[in-house]
Each structure stands twice: as structure tokens, then as C-alpha cells.
Amino acid sequence: MLVVGTVALVVIGPERLPKVARTLGAMLARAQRYVNNVKADIQREVELQNLKQIEAEMNEAGRKLMGELKGGVDEVHSSLNETVKEVATAFAGPAQPSLPPEALASVGQAPAAAETATATLERPEAAAPATPPERDRR
């Protein structure tokens, strides 16, 4: 390094040496920035490739999971359909009230109550009140 400095002093001269040294330093700094930018770009590309690989793996795992879930849902759906068919077959005959309307009327209930009981047995949702009764808040 000392030899290069001495040769530069002799060849360039003491008047122009500081200016040449500044220009040379600026060029070296610019070259270093360029190399650092290229290194950073390469690093970003490598990270991007890694992220794309991870994304592909996650998408594949998601597709596999969706397939498994769909298979399970289809199995439950078919099982429910079979159960509904079995229940529908079991209740396909005419609905029999627990007490005939005459028996309800003889206990002191009006014939309308007997009809309501029959309708309730045929449609269970008619038995539940739409809203719960309000309680006395005192």
C-alpha cells in the first residue's frame, strides 16, 4: 500500500493527489453500495423463493384438510339422511293421540282441547309456546 501511495505521489503529483484520492474514494463507495444492493436483492429473491415454497406447502395441506373434512361432512350428511328416512318411515302411519278425544271430553275438557291435543301429537312444534310466559317480578 505504501509503494502504491509513493508511486501515485510521484506520477500524479502533490497538487492533484488529494482530488484524485477523493474521486477514487467516491468511486469505491459507489461500487460498495452497488455490491451491497446486489447482495440485498439476491437475499430478497432467496427469501421470496422460500416463502413461495412455504405457501405451496400450506396450500397443499389446506387442500388435503378440506378433502378430509368434506369426506367427514359427507359421511355425517348421509348418516343423517338415513336417520331421517328411518324416522319418516317409522312415523309414516297415522298419528295416534295418547288419549282419544272422547276420553278428554269426559274428563271435563272441551272438545276443542281434544282437537288441540291431536294437532299437538301430529305437529310437536305446535305444543311449544312461541314465547315463554312472563313471570311476575315483584
Side-chain angles (χ1 to χ4, degrees):
M1 191 74 175
L2 184 61
V3 174
V4 173
T6 306
V7 170
L9 181 61
V10 171
V11 173
I12 297 174
E15 302 89 30
R16 293 186 353 192
L17 185 61
K19 183 177 179 183
V20 170
R22 277 192 297 272
T23 304
L24 187 60
M27 291 174 76
L28 285 175
R30 193 177 311 156
Q32 274 185 328
R33 282 193 301 271
Y34 178 75
V35 169
N36 287 337
N37 286 340
V38 169
K39 283 182 183 178
D41 288 344
I42 291 171
Q43 183 64 30
R44 279 192 293 268
E45 287 295 323
V46 168
E47 289 174 2
L48 181 62
Q49 288 175 348
N50 289 339
L51 289 174
K52 284 182 179 180
Q53 181 181 2
I54 291 170
E55 178 188 26
E57 291 171 1
M58 295 302 287
N59 284 337
E60 181 61 31
R63 280 191 284 281
K64 183 178 177 182
L65 180 63
M66 286 296 291
E68 292 173 4
L69 289 176
K70 183 166 177 24
V73 167
D74 289 344
E75 182 180 323
V76 169
H77 187 261
S78 64
S79 174
L80 284 175
N81 280 340
E82 289 175 15
T83 304
V84 167
K85 287 178 184 176
E86 290 172 6
V87 169
T89 304
F91 286 108
Q96 298 294 326
S98 60
L99 291 175
E102 300 82 27
L104 290 175
S106 68
V107 180
Q109 296 183 357
E115 291 172 0
T116 304
T118 304
T120 301
L121 289 173
E122 291 174 0
R123 293 183 308 130
E125 68 273 3
T131 58
E134 294 185 25
R135 293 187 177 175
D136 212 7
R137 296 182 189 177
R138 291 187 210 186

